[in-house]
Each structure stands twice: as C-alpha cells, then as structure tokens.
Amino acid sequence: MRRILTWLAAAVMVVAANVVAAPSASAATYTPPALRQRVDLNSGWRFNKGDVAGAEATTFNDSAWQQLSVPHTWNALDGADGGNNYYRGVGWYRRHYTVPAAFAGKMLFLQFAGANQVADVWVNGTYLGKHSGGYSRFRFGATSALKVGQDNVIAVKVNNANNADIAPLSADYSFDGGIYRNVSLQVVDPLAVRMLDSAGPGVYLRQRSVTAASATVDVTTKLFNNNASSRSVVVRTVITDATGTVVADQSLPARTVAANAGVDVVSSVTIANPHRWDGLADPYLYNANVEIRSSGVVTDVVTEPLGLRTFSVDPNTGFSLNGHPYDLHGVNLHQDRAGVGWAVNDAQHTADFDLIQEIGATTIRMAHYQHDQKDYNLADERGLVVWAEIPLVNDTTNSAAFTANARQQLIELIRQNYNHPSIVFWGIGNEQRVDNTATNTLLDSLAGLVDTEDPDRVSVYASCCVSDTGAVNNHAEASGYNKYFGWYNGSYNDLGGNLDSLHAANPSRRIALSEYGAGASTVQHALNPSPPSPGGQNHPEEYQALLHEASWKQLDARQYIWGTYVWNMFDFASDGRNEGGQPGINDKGLVTRDRVTRKDAFYFYKANWAATPTLYITSRRWASRTTAATELKVYSNAGTVTATLNGVSLGSRTSTDHIFKWTGVTLRAGANTVQVTATVNGTPVTDTVTWTLS
C-alpha cells in the first residue's frame, strides 16, 4: 500500500509524541463543553417543481408554492409506471429564518447533508455557491450574508437532470431530486476547527498502531482563525472511554495563529490497554475530544468517535479483524424506501439497520454512493464492517471536468467519514462498461487518491460486464466481482467454479463477491421453478430462495473470498425497469421496498448467519393452492425439526445446511395447517402456516 498523506502535511505541523497512560479507576471524567450550536432548518420550506426565474431574490412571491419540510424529494412517488412520469430537472426551495441576536460575532455556515445533484444556494439574494454531487455533505460560509436579528431568505435551486460532468451518468437505480437529507445552520466561534475542509469534521484520527498493550493515534486538527488579529492557541486532546472516563489528556504548547489563516496541528496520543472495536461481538467506542483554547478560554470543541481496531485482507485466508479471522458476509444497501424515495429519516435508517442486524450480517456495502451520516454512525455503534464508495457507475465522460468531480466526491467521502471505525474499504467505482485508456486512467487516479487521503484503509473496485482479468481490476488494492450466475447468465451452480478459476489465475488478488442475487415477487410462486426471465413479469419467490441456497453453500466453502454481499437488502426504485409485476422496481431485495415483508431468502440467511433461534416455513405466502402434491421446506438453525400436517406427524428431519425438507406431502381439499417445532440452544420454537387447496 502506498504511504502518502499529503493533505495532512499542512502549512504548519506540530507533533507531540509524549504519551499519557490510562488512568486508574478513580480517574476524572470529561464532558465536552457545548460550544458549537446546530440549528435545525428542516421545517418551514416552500417548494416549486420546475425552474422559476429570479427565485433567489428576497422579494420573490412564493406564497403559491407547496409548503413542506425536508428531507424531501420530488420523485418520492414517481416511476410507478416504469418511469414514464419520472421527473429529472429543476426544483426550488425557499424558507425564511431569523438569526438570533446571540449569534452576533459568530461564524455561520449553512450545511446540507445531501441534495441531488447540483445545488445553488443564495441568502438574501447573495449567491453563496454551487455544489455538484448528489450524495456528500456540503457547507457554505454564510456569516456576511445572514443578517443577525433580521428575517433572512434562504433559496436553493436543485437540479437532478443528467449532467455529463458529474458522476453518476447512469445506474440501475432512480436518481431522486431534491434536498433529501437534513439542512442546518452551524454556529462556531471565529477561532475554531476548520469548517470548510470538504465539509469534513476538521479533526482526523489516524491509528498508527493498536495492540493489546497500547494504541497510538495521531490526531490532526485543522485550525482556522477568522479573527482580524492573530491569536495564541493551545490545542488539547482528551480521549474518553464509553463511561466518559479520561484515558489520555494532552495539551500542545501554545502557538500563534495569524489573522484569517489556518494551520494543521498533530498530536500523538497513546491509550494503554485499549478496549478494541471488535465487530458485532464488541463494537466498543471511545470519544476523541479536541479543544481549541486561547487566553485560557475554550472557543471550540469537536468530538469524534474512536474505535480502535486492526484489520487485514489476505488473498488466501480472507479478512481478519484484530488479528483473528472474521467472516464478512452481508448485504448491499440503497437509501431508497417506498413512499419517501431517498428522503429517509433517522428512524427509518435505524429500522433498516435493525433488519440488517436481525439477518446476522457482519458487513454492509453502502452502494453506490456516499450514504447519510446516520448509516455510518449506526454501523459504528453496531459493529458492522463497511464498504463505502463513490457513485462512479457504468459510464464515464473522458473530460477534465468529470475527472475533477469524481475526485471531489472521493475526497468528500473520505474526509467526511475518515473517523468511522466501521469503514474499512473505500470503493472507487462499480461496473465500468468499457476497459479503455480513459477509464483506466481515471481509476488509477482515484486509487492513488485513496492512498493519498487514507493510506491505512483498503481501496476496492467492483467489476462486472468486462473481462474479469482486464485492466480495470488492476488499480484498487482489493477486487470485488458482481456475479449473477443463475439470473443473468449460466446456472447458480457455476458460481464457485468461476471464482476458483479467477483465484487460480491470479492467486495474489484479494477477491470479494460484491453482488449476487435474483429477483423475487412475494405474490408469485412456483414449486422448484426453472430460471425465470430477468426482464420478464414472472419472478417466483421460490426461485430467489433456490439461487441463494446454492450460492451461499459455494461461498461459505471458499475461505479466500474475503467478503460476500447479497444484492440487495431491500427492493428499490429503478425507474428504467418493468419486470416481476412491479414497474419501476428492482425486486432483488431480501425484504420488500416498504420493509413490510421479509422474503423466504431472508430467513435462509438468518438461519445461516444469526444466533437468534430461527424456524421458518417457506412458501408461506403461497396460501391458495390448486395442486395437492407439494413439499414442505423449512429454514432453521436447529439440529432437528419436527413437522405435522393437519395434526398428523410428518416426522423429523436433520440437516447440516439449515434446510429441512419433507417431500411427497399431499394437501387435502380446503384449509391445511402445517406446523413445525424445534429447539435452538434450549429455546423451543414453533412456526405455523395455512395453505388452502381449492
């Protein structure tokens, strides 16, 4: 791995190598002073779909516009007809805000957690700037434009039309437009941690070494003095454990920071006997608190999560966490949800993670773009290893502008998420459809940028639709492959052999299966169905389950595969599709888009991955039958399952693959009650379904 860190090489850098040992049980606790203020600006907006000349002007009459709150997307209900009504264009947002008198003398920044995909922002008719890229956070300095104690008009023009200079150009998902994440006003002292470092936190925690005995962390603080005169500044770093107890406390010598200037300062702190962040088993988090002091007064504090861990990826033995093998099996995640599209609130993000945790996943690929901070926070807290990536999907434009935008989005992804311990992989792209010089030049540039911004994590690229041994796979440090055997090509039994051939051809390549799966409708059913047409209207739920059964058995047997990611955790909007009886939907999810129904395949993985007692009768939604002959199939993590049909015993079955089958089952006319029982780790479990034969 290349070891360059140019963005941390600042105009001035001070390094302190003294260490502070972990304190005794009687050590002091620390609560960071609440100096920064965040004002929620989500409510009180007016919205107009379509362009409006002069909408940024303070005097513009917007009384006829729709009243709403953000997060919001104008595409939440579009695409139900397969995309014919899917609007991609301009939308305007405006709101009034009175700045409290208490904010006088403070620095004011408007922050947008996400707006797709080009956002222009005005305050009182003053243009603050443009942000190009639909998935990353952005901030604009608004101190001079906002009038303290007065009414202010904030206007935002958002455009989600196709733009040849901005990634992604195309993808198999809908590109919702609007201010679809939170908006806030950030209020800080003129002497503070830098706010405009690609909207990053301004404090960056680099784990230099982590062992059972000690952990050394370089804490880079980017300072900025917005005062009209120089300031003498002391930077203090306080590391606290989960109870708030101080485990390291270090103050650097005072230094002078010139007026309207910034410097970068690095502290090196050591924590004795660190409690490590260890995935699902123990996602332990410290806090790193950085104080800015001048003349004995604390002017700013930034607190960032610190999860101490080591990891490695081996081409033969796969992934390791903290020196022990750690199986990465999980799902891909889109931010889309029925009824709201991309405008997902915090409670809905949490509900998604509840389902991901229920299934027993250890990892998430947050496809195909930067996700909301809530997702990364939840991954930190719950111990899920994350593959984060930029929206370089399918196609590129061979231009300096497109390259600059892709690099900008990668810098934003890394800096805004640098401190999340859950993130191990930075994805530089997905499924480039051509393997030419322009594509490879761009991918090489992005892989180098990962090494520059974060030399300690692993760059990765997800390949499909060109040669597996082509040049596009040679830039990132690890490779993912999107393989849809049994759906778009071949048989689902071909997966393992294909991966073996790939591994044999290049034994030093570190391989993951970044996507695999099949579509499924919860209202379409068949007994042992043949492979359906991917673009057709019939996607039986049972076929998806068969494909995942076969795929997982092959993946579980191959240790060299460092990670596996089902496509997808949830059905999601894709306005260009019309298949499986659901126009505008990609139905490969293990759970329906409304999060109401867990499909059969969900329970297959839960039986394999989760420790919670699982007992599930498949084909349960196939409640109305016309054929008496059927089979009973059950997923469970029990050793033995016993079944009855209409109170009559069908006997017991054992299994080594969590699949239990009773063949030759005959239903009677009318209602049939099927019941299964088992004991998992001493806990008795039961499941029952009713199938009616007409």
Side-chain angles (χ1 to χ4, degrees):
M1 183 182 293
R2 287 166 280 184
R3 302 290 180 186
I4 308 168
L5 199 60
T6 56
W7 70 269
L8 287 179
V12 179
M13 181 176 290
V14 178
V15 179
N18 295 330
V19 303
V20 180
S24 66
S26 61
T29 59
Y30 173 85
T31 301
L35 298 176
R36 291 190 167 200
Q37 298 182 65
R38 179 191 181 279
V39 179
D40 189 306
L41 296 180
N42 283 346
S43 63
W45 291 90
R46 289 184 176 270
F47 170 72
N48 184 78
K49 185 177 178 180
D51 206 355
V52 180
E56 72 279 3
T58 307
T59 58
F60 187 86
N61 184 1
D62 58 13
S63 60
W65 290 14
Q66 178 185 358
Q67 298 182 56
L68 53 76
S69 295
V70 299
H72 166 262
T73 171
W74 58 71
N75 299 113
L77 302 178
D78 285 357
D81 61 349
N84 292 333
N85 290 331
Y86 196 80
Y87 175 69
R88 294 189 66 180
V90 172
W92 277 93
Y93 297 82
R94 285 163 51 92
R95 68 155 289 165
H96 291 253
Y97 174 65
T98 299
V99 179
F103 292 173
K106 300 292 186 179
M107 302 298 297
L108 308 177
F109 297 86
L110 281 176
Q111 176 171 295
F112 298 81
N116 195 42
Q117 75 176 347
V118 177
D120 293 276
V121 181
W122 292 260
V123 170
N124 299 325
T126 298
Y127 184 60
L128 298 189
K130 179 193 299 287
H131 182 265
S132 298
Y135 309 95
S136 47
R137 181 172 64 206
F138 57 97
R139 298 179 184 134
F140 292 118
T143 307
S144 59
L146 287 167
K147 307 304 179 185
V148 176
Q150 301 179 29
D151 178 62
N152 296 270
V153 177
I154 302 168
V156 185
K157 177 183 178 181
V158 184
N159 189 344
N160 72 330
N162 184 69
N163 189 319
D165 292 336
I166 303 171
L169 302 181
S170 67
D172 181 19
Y173 62 87
S174 297
F175 292 177
D176 287 6
I179 304 175
Y180 69 93
R181 293 182 186 156
N182 296 316
V183 180
S184 59
L185 180 70
Q186 305 289 321
V187 184
V188 302
D189 190 88
L191 179 62
V193 173
R194 186 170 174 82
M195 294 290 290
L196 297 179
D197 183 40
S198 297
V203 170
Y204 302 94
L205 312 173
R206 184 176 185 185
Q207 300 181 33
R208 284 292 185 176
S209 68
V210 179
T211 68
S214 67
T216 301
V217 181
D218 286 354
V219 182
T220 296
T221 302
K222 292 175 172 270
L223 288 172
F224 204 89
N225 177 21
N226 286 285
N227 292 287
S229 59
S230 63
R231 291 289 188 271
S232 176
V233 180
V234 172
V235 176
R236 179 191 181 199
T237 301
V238 183
I239 309 297
T240 55
D241 66 14
T243 70
T245 300
V246 175
V247 298
D249 188 346
Q250 180 184 91
S251 295
L252 295 178
R255 60 166 304 102
T256 299
V257 182
N260 300 309
V263 296
D264 294 0
V265 177
V266 180
S267 293
S268 183
V269 297
T270 295
I271 301 160
N273 305 313
H275 190 155
R276 282 179 278 190
W277 188 92
D278 203 29
L280 296 183
D282 191 6
Y284 190 88
L285 293 173
Y286 293 86
N287 278 324
N289 308 276
V290 174
E291 291 184 354
I292 308 303
R293 290 172 171 263
S294 183
S295 301
V297 177
V298 179
T299 61
D300 193 22
V301 178
V302 171
T303 300
E304 286 291 294
L306 174 61
L308 298 168
R309 78 285 183 270
T310 60
F311 55 81
S312 62
V313 185
D314 185 89
N316 295 307
T317 59
F319 184 76
S320 292
L321 181 65
N322 297 322
H324 59 80
Y326 192 76
D327 190 46
L328 293 184
H329 52 262
V331 296
N332 285 270
L333 177 66
H334 265 309
Q335 62 189 5
D336 173 75
R337 179 183 273 255
V340 298
W342 287 7
V344 180
N345 62 36
D346 283 356
Q348 292 166 331
H349 284 295
T350 301
D352 285 355
F353 270 73
D354 289 344
L355 286 164
I356 293 169
Q357 200 162 20
E358 178 187 340
I359 204 174
T362 60
T363 184
I364 304 175
R365 180 182 177 217
M366 294 193 186
H368 284 303
Y369 38 75
Q370 181 170 333
H371 283 228
D372 190 86
Q373 280 296 310
K374 183 65 175 179
D375 281 351
Y376 301 112
N377 290 339
L378 287 165
D380 291 345
E381 295 161 6
R382 301 194 182 195
L384 287 150
V385 173
V386 170
W387 169 336
E389 66 186 31
I390 60 168
L392 187 71
V393 185
N394 290 358
D395 304 305
T396 64
T397 300
N398 185 15
S399 70
F402 185 88
T403 296
N405 180 260
R407 288 176 62 86
Q408 168 209 310
Q409 293 196 60
L410 182 56
I411 289 171
E412 290 170 336
L413 173 72
I414 295 174
R415 294 194 188 178
Q416 292 173 22
N417 299 288
Y418 187 91
N419 297 327
H420 288 292
S422 57
I423 298 177
V424 170
F425 303 97
W426 298 122
I428 63 171
N430 177 77
E431 292 192 6
Q432 302 307 296
R433 299 307 172 97
V434 292
D435 192 352
N436 59 15
T437 299
T439 300
N440 283 290
T441 299
L442 176 58
L443 290 174
D444 192 62
S445 169
L446 295 173
L449 186 57
V450 171
D451 289 333
T452 299
E453 291 286 320
D454 185 359
D456 303 316
R457 289 185 173 95
V458 181
S459 62
V460 62
Y461 173 76
S463 180
C464 176
C465 316
V466 296
S467 171
D468 286 344
T469 57
V472 293
N473 301 294
N474 295 335
H475 307 288
E477 295 163 315
S479 298
Y481 293 90
N482 301 342
K483 302 282 189 180
Y484 287 92
F485 285 108
W487 189 246
Y488 293 122
N489 59 283
S491 163
Y492 48 59
N493 293 315
D494 297 337
L495 176 60
N498 179 270
L499 294 171
D500 287 344
S501 296
L502 187 59
H503 180 52
N506 190 346
S508 64
R509 187 183 298 279
R510 297 180 280 183
I511 297 172
L513 187 62
S514 38
E515 295 180 22
Y516 67 105
S521 167
T522 58
V523 298
Q524 297 174 354
H525 302 282
L527 183 63
N528 296 316
S530 299
S533 170
Q537 293 303 312
N538 186 41
H539 288 177
E541 185 177 2
E542 287 73 16
Y543 184 78
Q544 182 194 51
L546 289 172
L547 182 144
H548 281 292
E549 290 171 14
S551 298
W552 176 246
K553 290 176 187 176
Q554 297 168 77
L555 295 172
D556 193 34
R558 288 165 168 81
Q559 188 179 16
Y560 65 83
I561 303 295
W562 60 255
T564 62
Y565 298 84
V566 174
W567 187 268
N568 194 282
M569 183 62 191
F570 304 104
D571 292 347
F572 60 91
S574 182
D575 55 286
R577 286 181 178 261
N578 186 0
E579 61 196 42
Q582 300 183 82
I585 299 296
N586 186 317
D587 63 353
K588 295 185 184 68
L590 301 177
V591 179
T592 53
R593 188 180 179 223
D594 58 10
R595 277 54 170 178
V596 170
T597 305
R598 299 161 176 82
K599 301 179 187 180
D600 285 357
F602 174 96
Y603 288 95
F604 169 72
Y605 284 112
K606 184 176 179 180
N608 278 273
W609 295 348
T612 52
T614 301
L615 182 68
Y616 176 83
I617 300 171
T618 67
S619 297
R620 64 197 309 111
R621 281 168 287 280
W622 192 5
S624 298
R625 305 293 185 102
T626 58
T627 302
T630 189
E631 75 170 14
L632 170 62
K633 183 166 68 174
V634 173
Y635 298 141
S636 181
N637 50 6
T640 302
V641 176
T642 301
T644 63
L645 173 62
N646 299 319
V648 178
S649 175
L650 296 177
S652 299
R653 298 288 187 272
T654 60
S655 173
T656 58
D657 62 4
H658 305 288
I659 305 169
F660 301 78
K661 286 185 179 181
W662 290 258
T663 59
V665 175
T666 303
L667 304 178
R668 69 188 182 191
N672 293 263
T673 300
V674 180
Q675 185 176 76
V676 294
T677 59
T679 299
V680 183
N681 297 326
T683 302
V685 285
T686 302
D687 193 25
T688 304
V689 300
T690 300
W691 293 330
T692 300
L693 177 64
S694 61

